[in-house]
């Protein structure tokens, strides 16, 4: 190899998945995930009691049943698409790079991914959290865990993080291409962009000054709200809509998967789809642009649960645009993001 500086390491990190779709494995996953102080940001003792005495015991059996709907012969799509993307990206980046895959929670762990890169004697590490929009509970948590591990190393290589790619043109184009096949087949009354939700307090914690009002302030994107998760979601939606020629009055941005009784960012997806039916929208095309792989929140929650609720409310057709998964343009997008970040 002509590169005297040595190979560069790339660590792709997604959220995670249970090892198996059964109650014990789902309970283990939920405990690790929800005990993260960036995910449920309340004092440790309260969080520990909430997770171990209420959420994990009661939610695990229900979640296991949902994961069984998602599982196929290859296992969890989030994991096997991650493996496919890792291998495809490795081919694109050639032998100048070493690409490893990790999950923030469960397997393969971030520790194992970093150890793989460490053993390859990489000259630097580019960490790619596979979350298009930055949030403390996702991207921030990955950075936190990576630094917790590498700070114990004797030699710490140069480490760079790709914190968000919410407005990356190629990322937007992949989603647009996925959507076009649906739009060519059906004439939709409305379009929905559904993102994973967050508690309002987490958005407010990251607000610069008094910028964040959790309202119309998210309709523009600038230096002071560039790390506001809600503003990034609105930005991604605007860009996709513009790419597809969808007018502003024809689409809605909403947030799903809320947990607990505290206020989460709004509007809520489950409430909006009922409104759609009441307004006479019979055919809706849904997007899940916060996720790069098919997973529980896309395939089951948006694709199945919301589908059923929409039909029950009076709708007639509900389709879901597939995630990026292993789309060739998504691999090129990742390649460009990595090479732009590499020194």
């Amino acid at each position: 190899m002509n590169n005297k500086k040595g190979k560069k390491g790339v660590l792709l990190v997604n959220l995670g998945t249970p090892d198996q779709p059964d109650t014990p494995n789902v309970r283990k996953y939920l405990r690790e995930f929800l005990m993260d102080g960036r995910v449920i940001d309340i004092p440790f003792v309260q969080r520990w009691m909430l997770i171990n005495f209420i959420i994990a015991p009661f939610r695990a059996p229900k979640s296991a049943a949902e994961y069984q709907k998602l599982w196929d012969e290859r296992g969890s799509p989030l994991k096997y698409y991650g493996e496919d993307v890792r291998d495809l990206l490795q081919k694109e980046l050639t032998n100048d790079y070493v690409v490893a895959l990790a999950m923030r929670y469960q397997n393969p762990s971030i520790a194992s991914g970093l150890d793989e890169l460490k053993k390859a004697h990489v000259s630097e590490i580019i960490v790619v959290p596979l979350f298009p929009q930055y949030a403390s509970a996702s991207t921030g948590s990955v950075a936190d865990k990576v630094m917790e591990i590498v700070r114990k190393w004797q030699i710490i290589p140069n480490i760079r993080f790709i914190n968000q790619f919410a407005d990356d043109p190629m990322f937007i184009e992949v989603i647009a291409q996925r959507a076009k096949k649906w739009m060519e087949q059906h004439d939709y009354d409305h379009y929905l962009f559904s993102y994973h939700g967050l508690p309002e307090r987490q958005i407010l914690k990251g607000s610069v000054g008094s910028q964040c009002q959790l309202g119309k302030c998210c309709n523009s994107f600038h230096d002071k709200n560039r790390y506001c998760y809600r503003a990034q979601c609105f930005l991604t939606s605007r860009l996709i809509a513009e790419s597809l020629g969808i007018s502003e009055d024809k689409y809605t941005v909403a947030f799903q998967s809320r947990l607990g009784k505290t206020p989460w960012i709004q509007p809520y997806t489950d409430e909006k789809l009922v409104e759609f039916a009441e307004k006479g929208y019979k055919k809706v095309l849904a997007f899940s642009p916060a996720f790069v792989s098919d997973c529980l929140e896309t395939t089951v929650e948006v694709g199945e649960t919301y589908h059923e609720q929409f039909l029950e409310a009076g709708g007639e057709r509900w389709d879901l645009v597939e995630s990026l998964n292993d789309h060739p343009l998504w691999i090129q997008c990742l390649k460009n993001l990595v090479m732009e970040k590499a020194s």
Side-chain angles (χ1 to χ4, degrees):
M1 186 175 66
N2 296 325
N3 185 358
K4 295 180 180 180
K5 292 183 178 180
K7 296 184 178 183
K8 297 177 174 67
V10 177
L11 184 67
L12 303 175
V13 188
N14 212 329
L15 187 72
T17 178
D19 290 334
Q20 293 293 331
D22 55 35
T23 299
N25 278 285
V26 171
R27 185 184 298 117
K28 182 180 178 182
Y29 169 74
L30 288 175
R31 281 175 172 160
E32 183 182 0
F33 172 34
L34 298 176
M35 277 304 296
D36 186 340
R38 285 180 177 265
V39 174
I40 298 184
D41 54 337
I42 60 177
F44 176 82
V45 173
Q46 295 178 33
R47 185 168 69 250
W48 191 93
M49 294 180 69
L50 176 67
I51 304 309
N52 289 282
F53 291 129
I54 299 176
I55 297 180
F58 292 100
R59 190 172 177 179
K62 296 179 181 178
S63 293
E66 297 296 286
Y67 273 108
Q68 287 165 16
K69 298 177 185 177
L70 177 73
W71 233 254
D72 58 29
E73 63 277 1
R74 291 189 66 189
S76 167
L78 184 141
K79 185 175 181 181
Y80 66 68
Y81 277 125
E83 294 168 344
D84 292 346
V85 168
R86 174 200 61 199
D87 296 343
L88 291 167
L89 183 61
Q90 180 67 74
K91 291 179 181 178
E92 288 293 324
L93 291 173
T94 71
N95 290 331
D96 288 345
Y97 290 80
V98 178
V99 183
L101 174 68
M103 299 293 167
R104 175 60 185 88
Y105 313 105
Q106 296 299 288
N107 300 302
S109 67
I110 289 179
S112 67
L114 287 170
D115 189 56
E116 180 182 340
L117 299 180
K118 183 180 180 182
K119 289 178 178 177
H121 305 291
V122 297
S123 60
E124 64 179 272
I125 296 174
I126 300 165
V127 182
V128 189
L130 295 172
F131 314 113
Q133 300 82 22
Y134 176 90
S136 172
S138 53
T139 308
S141 180
V142 169
D144 200 353
K145 189 65 176 180
V146 167
M147 298 313 295
E148 174 190 316
I149 294 168
V150 300
R151 72 185 180 190
K152 300 173 184 176
W153 291 4
Q154 190 66 32
I155 298 174
I156 299 177
N158 194 19
I159 299 177
R160 305 167 188 268
F161 292 89
I162 295 176
N163 277 346
Q164 61 93 1
F165 47 93
D167 58 348
D168 182 87
M170 202 168 286
F171 164 67
I172 300 298
E173 179 59 25
V174 183
I175 298 174
Q177 285 191 17
R178 289 283 203 201
K180 284 176 183 175
K181 75 168 189 177
W182 291 102
M183 295 173 70
E184 289 169 355
Q185 296 175 29
H186 306 285
D187 185 18
Y188 294 99
D189 301 316
H190 204 71
Y191 301 87
L192 171 71
F193 295 93
S194 184
Y195 296 82
H196 199 288
L198 290 174
E200 289 184 352
R201 66 176 181 272
Q202 293 189 8
I203 301 293
L204 294 172
K205 280 181 181 180
S207 176
V208 177
S210 58
Q211 277 290 312
C212 186
Q213 302 297 321
L214 295 169
K216 292 183 178 179
C217 53
C218 292
N219 292 338
S220 61
F221 192 70
H222 46 76
D223 287 347
K224 290 187 177 180
N225 72 353
R226 62 183 173 183
Y227 285 114
C228 170
Y229 175 76
R230 190 172 185 272
Q232 291 171 81
C233 293
F234 276 81
L235 172 65
T236 298
S237 302
R238 284 196 301 274
L239 294 173
I240 296 171
E242 289 171 5
S243 177
L244 292 169
I246 301 172
S247 60
E248 188 175 348
D249 62 319
K250 292 276 285 185
Y251 74 87
T252 296
V253 179
F255 300 89
Q256 64 189 74
S257 310
R258 63 188 184 276
L259 176 68
K261 297 181 180 180
T262 59
W264 281 47
I265 53 178
Q266 298 185 39
Y268 299 138
T269 301
D270 56 352
E271 294 179 357
K272 279 296 176 182
L273 61 89
V274 175
E275 288 182 22
F276 292 165
E278 291 174 349
K279 290 180 178 179
Y281 301 154
K282 296 298 184 182
K283 299 178 182 179
V284 172
L285 182 62
F287 297 74
S288 293
F291 305 93
V292 300
S293 298
D294 289 336
C295 58
L296 194 70
E297 288 81 359
T298 62
T299 305
V300 177
E301 187 171 10
V302 180
E304 296 182 15
T305 303
Y306 290 159
H307 179 205
E308 293 171 3
Q309 292 177 5
F310 181 63
L311 296 186
E312 289 173 2
E316 295 179 357
R317 185 174 193 93
W318 177 277
D319 292 316
L320 172 64
V321 176
E322 301 89 341
S323 297
L324 281 58
N325 295 329
D326 59 355
H327 194 289
L329 194 58
W330 168 226
I331 307 303
Q332 288 300 315
C333 174
L334 283 172
K335 178 183 178 181
N336 289 351
L337 288 170
V338 167
M339 296 190 73
E340 286 172 6
K341 205 70 170 178
S343 58

